[in-house]
Amino acid sequence: MRFGLSFTAVLAAALAVVVSSPAEPGQLSSKRADAQRMLAEIGAMDMELDRAVEAYNYATVQLNRIDRDLAANRKRLATARTNLATAHKRVADRVLSLYTSEEPDTLAVILGASSLGDLIERIDSVNRISDEDARITEDVTRFRNEVRSRQQHLEQAQVQQRNVVAERADRRAAIEGQLAARQELLASIKDQISTLEAAERARQARLARQARQQVRSTQPSSSGGQQSSPPPASDQPPSPSPSPSPSPPPPSTHGGVVGVALHYLGVPYRWGGASPSGFDCSGLLVYSFAKVGVYLPHSSYMQFHLGRYVPRSNLQPGDAVFFNGASHVGIYIGGGRFVHAPHTGDVVKISSLGESWYSSTYAGARRY
């Protein structure tokens, strides 16, 4: 979620043209400075929105996991309670049986034996009864402990669920507030922005033609059906600096994802989006990689901890490239470029790793 260097450069160029106009150079120079200042504010806002949106996505993944765990645990708790009730009934039946059967105790069994063989049979009978009583007792204890344990887990999960729901609500409110402020700033320089948008559209059309030609000229690798599983969730997004793998990553087998992602160039950015109606940065990866059989969580922080580490010098089409502390992600397409969903108000587009912001905030790459 960022304005790229190209956007800033185009703005500077456009404003320079305005300043060069002979009419009222002082006023125009002031207007140019105001627009540049506002653009810098919008850029900083986009960096914070990056983090807020992906923190929201991370909380959503957590909440979905908690909801699934709660549903499964409720079923297991019901089963444990049924088993405990059955075990209690067996205890009651056993007590009734002992009370009504007038079974002799062990001493009576020994004294009443008529022979050594009779004694062995009597003792064996008592031991079998004792073993059955032990099994019943063990079952009652086990099922009672399971009920208690599952009740505790259920209560803890419900507390965690409430906390994550509250966190999500806070994230949403923060995002919506930042978006409103961002829109207000954009409206104040809308004339300059419209000129820049036209120039950016033309540049993106050229980059798209080049990227599609590149995809056509290379034989796409077949995709495996592997599934990436998200790591265990915690209360905070994972650290954005995993240790590099001790060995080089295997060759990319998912270069076909590039063609999928390029198909959606021009689709508008929508935070929380993971469909052709709108994508955020991690949502574009979720959707595109699913098309080649790789299933990722909708969180750039979690995506950053899946797959294998890839050195920047070894990037291949289909690798995921991360920026800004792993709060932004795109799909490498080759030639130093990547496709991504940048920020609110923009569309799925192609950018370069060499652009200043992406180069300075590059966080690493992963191969799935």
Side-chain angles (χ1 to χ4, degrees), residues 7 51 66 86 104 115-116 173-174 194 206-207 285 306 308 352:
F7 188 81
R51 299 186 180 97
I66 293 169
T86 301
S115 66
L116 179 59
S194 62
R206 175 175 55 81
L207 291 174
L285 266 73
L306 297 175
R308 298 287 297 274
S352 170

Side-chain angles (χ1 to χ4, degrees), residues 165-245:
V165 167
E167 179 188 348
R168 253 175 116 245
D170 290 343
R171 299 288 186 188
R172 175 182 285 274
I175 291 167
E176 290 174 347
Q178 288 172 299
L179 286 175
R182 185 183 188 281
Q183 187 59 37
E184 184 178 345
L185 283 174
L186 279 174
S188 65
I189 53 172
K190 62 181 180 180
D191 293 339
Q192 293 92 329
I193 294 297
S194 62
T195 302
L196 303 177
E197 287 176 340
E200 180 64 8
R201 282 195 296 271
R203 189 179 79 92
Q204 282 298 314
R206 175 175 55 81
L207 291 174
R209 287 194 298 271
Q210 293 173 354
R212 291 188 174 114
Q213 178 60 41
Q214 177 181 326
V215 170
R216 285 193 295 268
S217 66
T218 58
Q219 181 67 33
S221 303
S222 61
S223 62
Q226 69 188 49
Q227 177 167 341
S228 295
S229 300
S234 61
D235 292 337
Q236 298 297 325
S239 165
S241 301
S243 300
S245 301

Side-chain angles (χ1 to χ4, degrees), residues 133-145:
D133 291 343
R135 282 193 294 271
I136 292 173
T137 303
E138 181 183 348
D139 286 346
V140 170
T141 302
R142 184 173 74 255
F143 292 135
R144 183 179 60 210
N145 290 341

Side-chain angles (χ1 to χ4, degrees), residues 6-20:
S6 59
F7 188 81
T8 307
V10 173
L11 174 61
L15 293 175
V17 171
V18 173
V19 173
S20 65

Side-chain angles (χ1 to χ4, degrees), residues 324-343:
N324 196 27
S327 66
H328 187 68
V329 63
I331 300 172
Y332 188 69
I333 64 175
R337 296 193 177 108
F338 61 99
V339 57
H340 63 140
H343 55 79

Side-chain angles (χ1 to χ4, degrees), residues 138-155:
E138 181 183 348
D139 286 346
V140 170
T141 302
R142 184 173 74 255
F143 292 135
R144 183 179 60 210
N145 290 341
E146 183 179 359
V147 167
R148 288 175 178 171
S149 174
R150 292 203 177 281
Q151 285 176 326
Q152 290 173 352
H153 286 317
L154 203 61
E155 291 169 1

Side-chain angles (χ1 to χ4, degrees), residues 259-274:
V260 176
L262 291 177
H263 182 72
Y264 297 101
L265 288 172
V267 169
Y269 178 94
R270 180 169 64 85
W271 70 271

